[in-house]
Amino acid sequence: MPSVGEILDGKQICICAGSGGVGKTTTSAAIAAGMAARGLRVCVLTIDPAKRLADSLGLKELGNEARQVDPALFAEQGVEIKGELWAMMLDAKATFDELVARQAPDEEARDRVLGNRIYQQISSALAGSQEYMAMEKLFELHTEDRFDLLVLDTPPTRNALDFLDAPKRLTQFIEGRSLRVFMKPTGFAAKVAGRGASVALSVFKRIVGFDLIADLAEFFNAFSGMVDGFQARARRVNSLLADRRTCFLVVCGPQGEPVDEAVYFHRKLVEAKLPFGGVIVNKVHYPAERLRGDGADLPAALAERLGDDLGSRVCENFADYQALAERDTRNIDRLAAELRTQAVIRVPYLDEDVHDLAGLAEINRYLFASAEQREARAAGRA
Ligand SMILES: Nc1ncnc2c1ncn2[C@@H]1O[C@H](COP(=O)(O)OP(=O)(O)OP(=O)(O)O)[C@@H](O)[C@H]1O
Ligand SMILES: [Mg+2]
């Protein structure tokens, strides 16, 4: 049973994927901290981290730039960061603007697109889905070669696979027939714009407050010069994802449904020939073996200390917890069997939300534990 440190050995990119709310942002931050502690220069790209987690990483303001997390903050938690930990919050709209600026043939074309009202709408809509921009930023940072390892958090998608299709979706959008029509000089937009004096259009212009058709035509004409650049970039993003130095970690919960989703997601990764590294099962109820050892004496012992009423309620609570723990164990065994992998790492359901560096350090005791340590904990012996 490998630890996250072993799974990521020699990797340059780690992508934490999974369905909503399972702990992707938390584990991404924890993994990045753990690898930085081991001496690497690591950058974690987070998406919508809870405010307190962002604060604790020193990410007070939104920004599309990486900031270094002060190692002294970790030292306070007894964690020595031998390398460097950097973190950034992805700002999808800003990434899109940067991308356009890079692809534009000249400054004039860039300004025409960025200042265009249609672009502003479309970029916000596309940026809203975030997936493409996450890939884009990842690619950009990878090309810059400033870091040994990039850890990418992924956005909360309804479907954990959405982001895999993101580069394809953007190029399809750009290649799409509707755009082609607009981009041809003799196309629809040119024809309509040519009839600028038509009554209908001037009424329309008055209603919407600006010349929509002229804006559309201008947008698509300016964009047309960038299509090839976008496509080439999307192809490079795709090959980066498939590279053997990239590693996908699937994050999931221990309940039946999340496990099913993880199995499905793993299958899709394999089908897409993307490198699967392992599964992190988060928020697991660990069996409390030591208490169970007291067996039949427990109700009496509790009643003596807490009184009959409270004692029996604590007992019931404990029995419920044990049932949950057993269910989790069964689900995780099934997951490992279906995926035919040893790389299944459990992280317990902690008593509190993980919103600071102490919480991340606690998670890392599990993510980076040796096989023996993990087995001992899973059996409730530690
Ligand atoms: N092992 C854990 N024990 C207790 N709380 C946890 C644990 N892991 C994560 N949490 C808490 O669960 C919540 C969701 O975690 P997180 O934000 O990392 O999930 P996510 O998968 O990124 O969610 P989203 O899909 O919305 O982006 C957070 O409040 C976090 O502090
Ligand atoms: Mg998240």
Side-chain angles (χ1 to χ4, degrees):
M1 236 196 278
S3 75
V4 167
E6 286 154 358
I7 293 173
L8 293 184
D9 187 32
K11 303 289 179 194
Q12 294 177 357
I13 291 181
C14 165
I15 302 178
C16 296
S19 30
V22 289
K24 300 178 293 296
T25 304
T26 307
T27 40
S28 308
I31 288 171
M35 295 304 278
R38 278 159 182 71
L40 300 188
R41 287 172 305 160
V42 188
C43 182
V44 55
L45 290 79
T46 63
I47 297 176
D48 282 340
K51 188 167 177 319
R52 288 169 74 187
L53 180 63
D55 287 352
S56 69
L57 289 170
L59 294 172
K60 289 227 160 39
E61 60 246 62
L62 251 170
N64 227 19
E65 267 177 44
R67 283 158 210 268
Q68 189 170 7
V69 183
D70 184 358
L73 298 175
F74 276 100
E76 284 167 20
Q77 304 303 327
V79 178
E80 188 199 348
I81 300 281
K82 295 202 185 86
E84 292 172 16
L85 176 63
W86 293 69
M88 69 181 285
M89 273 197 258
L90 283 173
D91 175 350
K93 172 86 169 78
T95 306
F96 204 12
D97 290 351
E98 287 166 18
L99 178 63
V100 166
R102 213 175 302 115
Q103 297 297 333
D106 53 49
E107 280 183 20
E108 199 209 320
R110 179 198 66 197
D111 293 343
R112 260 196 298 151
V113 172
L114 293 183
N116 185 285
R117 275 170 290 229
I118 304 298
Y119 167 76
Q120 285 163 0
Q121 291 300 317
I122 289 179
S123 62
S124 310
L126 271 179
S129 73
Q130 286 181 329
E131 294 93 345
Y132 180 74
M133 293 309 131
M135 297 296 148
E136 190 50 54
K137 198 71 201 179
L138 182 76
F139 182 71
E140 185 194 313
L141 284 175
H142 179 74
T143 313
E144 283 176 16
D145 212 16
R146 283 162 62 196
F147 301 104
D148 303 315
L149 175 70
L150 298 169
V151 182
L152 179 70
D153 176 21
T154 56
T157 42
R158 262 168 298 119
N159 180 337
L161 300 170
D162 275 0
F163 80 95
L164 288 180
D165 290 331
K168 200 167 73 202
R169 256 186 289 143
L170 184 72
T171 41
Q172 275 171 353
F173 168 74
I174 294 172
E175 284 176 326
R177 296 230 329 266
S178 54
L179 281 196
R180 293 275 173 216
V181 170
F182 276 110
M183 286 190 299
K184 273 190 225 135
T186 53
F188 169 74
K191 276 190 204 131
V192 180
R195 283 192 241 134
S198 90
V199 180
L201 275 180
S202 62
V203 170
F204 187 69
K205 188 169 159 184
R206 234 179 298 139
I207 297 171
V208 297
F210 64 96
D211 196 340
L212 177 71
I213 300 299
D215 266 37
L216 267 175
E218 186 197 67
F219 169 66
F220 289 121
N221 281 327
F223 228 104
S224 64
M226 303 182 197
V227 170
D228 291 344
F230 270 99
Q231 285 171 343
R233 224 175 143 79
R235 273 196 298 276
R236 282 172 25 219
V237 171
N238 278 333
S239 60
L240 178 63
L241 294 183
D243 196 284
R244 61 186 168 74
R245 286 162 300 175
T246 298
C247 171
F248 282 82
L249 294 179
V250 178
V251 186
C252 70
Q255 301 86 353
E257 208 177 303
V259 164
D260 289 339
E261 280 174 22
V263 170
Y264 178 72
F265 188 53
H266 169 263
R267 197 173 69 228
K268 288 289 168 185
L269 282 178
V270 172
E271 278 169 16
K273 299 196 169 55
L274 294 171
F276 166 76
V279 194
I280 294 168
V281 190
N282 190 27
K283 303 192 186 178
V284 176
H285 302 89
Y286 277 47
E289 201 68 44
R290 277 177 303 174
L291 275 176
R292 198 197 276 163
D294 295 338
D297 298 340
L298 188 66
L302 283 172
E304 194 179 313
R305 291 211 184 168
L306 304 172
D308 282 345
D309 190 32
L310 188 56
S312 72
R313 270 189 286 156
V314 170
C315 249
E316 277 167 30
N317 202 297
F318 180 64
D320 288 348
Y321 181 88
Q322 286 293 53
L324 274 180
E326 279 158 24
R327 180 209 63 179
D328 286 2
T329 305
R330 276 196 306 277
N331 283 336
I332 295 167
D333 288 347
R334 174 168 72 86
L335 178 69
E338 293 206 29
L339 264 47
R340 294 197 198 89
T341 181
Q342 293 292 309
V344 178
I345 296 171
R346 296 159 209 238
V347 176
Y349 207 137
L350 302 177
D351 293 338
E352 282 180 49
D353 267 7
V354 183
H355 49 65
D356 56 16
L357 302 186
L360 295 183
E362 176 68 13
I363 297 256
N364 278 351
R365 290 182 47 223
Y366 295 85
L367 291 178
F368 290 90
S370 69
E372 299 78 46
Q373 283 168 330
R374 253 177 295 122
E375 268 162 34
R377 281 185 197 135
R381 291 194 305 271

